């Protein structure tokens, strides 16, 4: 749900807008939207296969190739969109083709993880013929079903809302979605050095990444508010018509609108429970001990190899001259190799790591790293620290840590 909800919501928004275009009803969907959807699926499937089977593709560059055109396309789409209440009245082929383009981009962006995710269901299991494997598939399909119900509920609800009210909610929802897209693009460009080094920018990116559910909560507030408005309107509106049959038809329509509101709110409630309480329960890590304090002698920090040679993750903390507590980690990777790095990374900041089996886990985003990769830069790996082994000790220059205090401020 965490990775797929933006795609589901974006598709609901785009299809809601396109339902107000005359050409959409006259075969336009088949000529534009369907090819766009198919192209998105093919791109996502290609990435999933290459990512799983080869090392040819860097996901960040793939995502940037999608996010860059998505930003201007969304802005233009926001400026020209009609509403479903204009159905069959608005001639807007440009909107139709631009909507198809956005559908292709969002499918290409959000679908690869949905293709890859089930392939890991068998990891750690002796056989796929057991309850754990079935439970994982059941949860996966339940999540997709919930997303589908929510997207269909939002699109159906939008058709019955007064035009002026709907335009306001659609615009607010597009703006929140655009903010999320801009954050993802800025995150990648910052990590890859495509933007000028800026402490303020880095802090801003980390601030929002640590509160990434803000965008989800904003969308819940927008569409939940619209659902409440529609439910109240359906209760306050008195059925009328030229004859009893029309009155009954209107009464049924009002009940349907109320039910749609209930469906949307119930879906959001389950969604909220899943991405908060259930996610926290699933991702609960082991109790992590506080890092042990170390001091420098003659500018050197020395750790006895006997203390850090058990294959476990060891966390240490050095108090810099500026008064900033700077953490680092040490882990033995093999008989002769050690991994040493900051308890922080370029993407998630100073949130740090813990160990699970032979893997090192990022506490913020739950990215899994094999311990043999510790000491190498890139992705969510700890920022490497230079060190040397001499006289049965692992030696780190204090100056190396002094230079990295900004990461822990």
């Amino acid at each position: 749900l965490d990775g797929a909800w933006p795609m589901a919501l974006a598709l609901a928004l785009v299809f809601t807008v396109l339902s107000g275009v005359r050409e959409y009803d006259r075969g336009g969907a088949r000529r534009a939207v369907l090819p766009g959807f198919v192209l998105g699926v093919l791109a996502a499937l290609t990435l999933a296969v290459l990512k799983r089977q080869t090392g040819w593709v860097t996901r960040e560059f793939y995502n940037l190739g999608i996010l860059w055109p998505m930003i201007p396309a969304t802005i233009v789409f926001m400026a020209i969109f009609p509403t479903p209440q204009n159905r069959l009245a608005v001639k807007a082929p440009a909107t139709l083709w631009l909507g198809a383009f956005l559908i292709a981009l969002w499918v290409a962006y959000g679908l690869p993880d949905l293709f890859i995710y089930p392939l890991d269901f068998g990891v750690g299991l002796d056989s796929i013929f057991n309850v754990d494997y079935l439970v994982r598939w059941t949860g996966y399909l339940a999540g997709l079903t919930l997303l589908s119900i929510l997207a269909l509920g939002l699109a159906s609800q939008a058709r019955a809302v007064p035009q002026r009210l709907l335009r306001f909610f659609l615009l607010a929802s597009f703006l929140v979605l655009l903010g999320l897209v801009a954050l993802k693009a800025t995150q990648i460009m910052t990590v890859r050095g495509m933007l000028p080094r800026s402490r303020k920018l880095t802090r801003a990116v980390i601030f929002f990444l640590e509160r990434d559910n803000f965008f989800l909560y904003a969308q819940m507030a927008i569409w939940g508010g619209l659902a409440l408005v529609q439910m109240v309107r359906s209760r306050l509106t008195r059925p009328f018509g030229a004859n009893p049959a029309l009155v009954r038809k209107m009464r049924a329509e009002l009940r349907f609108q109320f039910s749609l509101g209930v469906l949307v709110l119930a879906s959001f409630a389950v969604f909220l429970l899943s991405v908060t309480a259930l996610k926290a329960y699933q991702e609960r890590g082991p109790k992590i001990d506080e890092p042990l304090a170390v001091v420098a002698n003659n500018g050197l920090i020395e750790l006895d190899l006997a203390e850090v040679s058990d294959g476990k993750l060891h966390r240490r903390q050095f108090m810099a001259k500026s008064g900033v507590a700077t953490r680092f980690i040490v882990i033995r990777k093999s008989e002769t190799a050690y991994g040493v790095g900051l308890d922080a990374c370029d993407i998630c900041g100073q949130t740090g790591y813990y160990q699970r089996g032979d893997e090192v886990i990022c506490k913020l985003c739950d990215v899994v790293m094999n311990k043999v990769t510790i000491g190498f830069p890139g992705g969510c790996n700890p920022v490497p620290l230079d060190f040397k082994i001499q006289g049965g000790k692992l030696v780190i220059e204090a100056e190396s840590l002094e230079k990295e205090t900004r990461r822990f401020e």
Side-chain angles (χ1 to χ4, degrees):
L1 294 180
D2 270 352
W5 75 260
M7 177 186 69
L9 178 65
L11 294 181
L13 292 177
V14 173
F15 277 108
T16 295
V17 170
L18 295 186
S19 66
V21 179
R22 178 185 297 183
E23 289 84 358
Y24 184 78
D25 253 21
R26 298 186 175 183
R30 291 188 296 274
R31 291 194 302 271
V33 176
L34 185 58
F37 183 82
V38 171
L39 285 175
V41 171
L42 291 177
L45 187 59
T46 300
L47 174 72
V49 172
L50 292 178
K51 188 73 175 176
R52 188 71 181 183
Q53 302 296 332
T54 73
W56 298 347
V57 178
T58 302
R59 180 65 183 270
E60 287 90 347
F61 294 132
Y62 170 88
N63 285 348
L64 272 184
I66 294 173
L67 295 173
W68 276 341
M70 188 185 290
I71 293 174
T74 301
I75 293 174
V76 175
F77 196 70
M78 287 165 52
I80 66 176
F81 71 79
T83 62
Q85 288 75 10
N86 294 322
R87 190 170 177 78
L88 307 182
V90 176
K91 293 183 178 180
T95 303
L96 181 65
W97 289 101
L98 187 56
F101 181 59
L102 282 174
I103 288 172
L105 291 177
W106 273 108
V107 170
Y109 179 76
L111 213 55
D113 291 331
L114 294 182
F115 285 145
I116 295 173
Y117 189 52
L119 301 179
D120 293 328
F121 288 171
V123 174
L125 303 178
D126 295 332
S127 169
I128 64 172
F129 299 103
N130 59 50
V131 175
D132 285 343
Y133 191 72
L134 178 62
V135 167
R136 293 174 186 181
W137 266 105
T138 302
Y140 176 75
L141 296 176
L144 294 182
T145 301
L146 176 61
L147 285 171
S148 301
I149 291 174
L150 183 60
L152 291 173
L154 295 179
S156 299
Q157 177 183 262
R159 294 171 181 263
V161 177
Q163 180 173 331
R164 290 183 179 178
L165 186 64
L166 179 62
R167 287 187 67 87
F168 171 78
F169 280 93
L170 280 177
L171 184 60
S173 188
F174 271 121
L175 285 173
V176 173
L177 203 60
L178 187 62
L180 177 62
V181 172
L183 174 65
K184 296 297 184 182
T186 304
Q187 175 192 1
I188 297 172
M189 294 169 67
T190 300
V191 172
R192 290 290 176 176
M194 298 179 182
L195 293 175
R197 289 288 181 182
S198 169
R199 182 177 299 182
K200 291 183 178 180
L201 178 61
T202 302
R203 285 179 176 177
V205 171
I206 292 174
F207 176 84
F208 282 107
L209 287 175
E210 291 177 342
R211 298 162 180 81
D212 58 345
N213 277 343
F214 163 80
F215 297 95
L216 173 60
Y217 297 152
Q219 296 288 8
M220 286 184 174
I222 293 168
W223 289 98
L226 184 60
L228 288 173
V229 169
Q230 190 63 6
M231 291 168 67
V232 171
R233 290 184 70 254
S234 66
R235 282 291 185 256
L236 296 180
T237 302
R238 299 190 61 174
F240 61 89
N243 55 63
L246 292 177
V247 173
R248 289 194 297 272
K249 181 180 179 181
M250 186 175 182
R251 185 178 290 115
E253 177 63 25
L254 291 174
R255 285 198 299 267
F256 176 70
Q257 292 176 18
F258 186 86
S259 299
L260 274 178
V262 173
L263 175 67
V264 170
L265 292 178
S267 298
F268 274 143
V270 176
F271 207 110
L272 187 62
L273 176 67
S274 177
V275 299
T276 54
L278 295 182
K279 181 182 178 182
Y281 177 80
Q282 177 198 11
E283 295 179 354
R284 67 194 188 283
K287 182 180 178 180
I288 302 175
D289 296 330
E290 289 295 319
L292 300 179
V294 295
V295 295
N297 293 316
N298 297 322
L300 300 177
I301 299 170
E302 298 180 335
L303 303 178
D304 288 332
L305 290 181
E307 296 179 3
V308 294
S309 296
D310 54 4
K312 295 181 180 179
L313 185 71
H314 296 269
R315 303 169 71 237
R316 298 292 185 266
Q317 181 170 283
F318 170 72
M319 190 63 67
K321 296 176 182 177
S322 60
V324 177
T326 306
R327 304 189 312 273
F328 64 95
I329 61 175
V330 179
I331 189 169
R332 185 181 184 182
K333 302 189 292 186
S334 67
E335 291 297 324
T336 57
Y338 290 82
V340 182
L342 297 178
D343 197 22
C345 75
D346 288 321
I347 299 176
C348 299
Q350 59 168 303
T351 51
Y353 305 87
Y354 67 92
Q355 186 176 12
R356 186 169 64 203
D358 280 339
E359 299 169 332
V360 176
I361 315 296
C362 174
K363 288 164 59 179
L364 177 63
C365 63
D366 206 42
V367 165
V368 177
M369 290 151 280
N370 191 300
K371 67 180 183 181
V372 299
T373 68
I374 304 302
F376 295 96
C380 226
N381 268 18
V383 176
L385 276 178
D386 292 331
F387 70 97
K388 55 186 177 181
I389 304 294
Q390 59 182 26
K393 296 182 182 294
L394 187 148
V395 182
I396 302 171
E397 292 187 5
E399 185 62 26
S400 299
L401 292 170
E402 293 283 358
K403 293 178 181 179
E404 301 290 352
T405 55
R406 60 182 176 80
R407 299 180 186 273
F408 297 90
E409 293 177 347

